[in-house]
Amino acid sequence: MENTMQKYCHWGAIGSLVTLIVWCVLWEMVLAPLHPGGSWLVLKAAPLLLPLYGVWKRDIYTLQWTSMMILLYFTEGVVRGWSDKGSLSAWLGWGEAVIVCVYFVCAVMYLRPYKKAAKKLAKELLDKVKVNTVK
């Protein structure tokens, strides 16, 4: 059963993932595209669509791997924020990094009780195996 904190973290993960998808599309098509009229870089939003259903359905495995995959977007945001000095693109890069941080924290906080339960179960199993081998 989920607690209130997990519910907020789940909705935070969904919201930040959807926000990141919209952010990337607007950035590369409308706000600050590399080429006038948009660029093929807009396709960077496509991989974010793959885990959307799993995050929505609270799939633990999906939340785990997306919390690592999303760090690529953090890297891109920091690099473009740092290198595109004084432009809208730089601000959009830093915004992307912030959105990724929100997703990462929400995903990790949502998964935290599951991780604790798995560790407890593994410890109990190891203790049981140790007792049986000593006999």
Side-chain angles (χ1 to χ4, degrees), residues 67-117:
S67 67
M68 294 296 110
M69 183 266 300
I70 201 105
L71 296 177
L72 294 170
Y73 292 86
F74 176 79
T75 304
E76 186 221 6
V78 169
V79 167
R80 290 190 65 184
W82 195 266
S83 64
D84 297 348
K85 295 266 187 208
S87 67
L88 177 60
S89 185
W91 287 104
L92 291 169
W94 290 118
E96 180 180 35
V98 169
I99 295 167
V100 168
C101 287
V102 170
Y103 179 84
F104 184 80
V105 168
C106 287
V108 168
M109 292 302 290
Y110 179 82
L111 293 169
R112 191 173 185 198
Y114 295 107
K115 184 74 170 174
K116 284 183 180 181

Side-chain angles (χ1 to χ4, degrees), residues 9 17 19 23 27 53 57 61 65 72 88 109 125 130:
C9 289
L17 186 58
T19 301
W23 190 273
W27 181 1
Y53 182 74
K57 291 294 185 180
Y61 182 71
W65 70 261
L72 294 170
L88 177 60
M109 292 302 290
L125 183 61
K130 287 178 185 176

Side-chain angles (χ1 to χ4, degrees), residues 10 13-14 17 21 45-59 61-67 69-70 73 103:
H10 175 246
I14 292 171
L17 186 58
I21 293 168
L48 295 171
L49 294 171
L50 297 174
L52 192 56
Y53 182 74
V55 172
W56 179 268
K57 291 294 185 180
R58 296 176 172 87
D59 183 51
Y61 182 71
T62 303
L63 282 157
Q64 287 174 331
W65 70 261
T66 56
S67 67
M69 183 266 300
I70 201 105
Y73 292 86
Y103 179 84

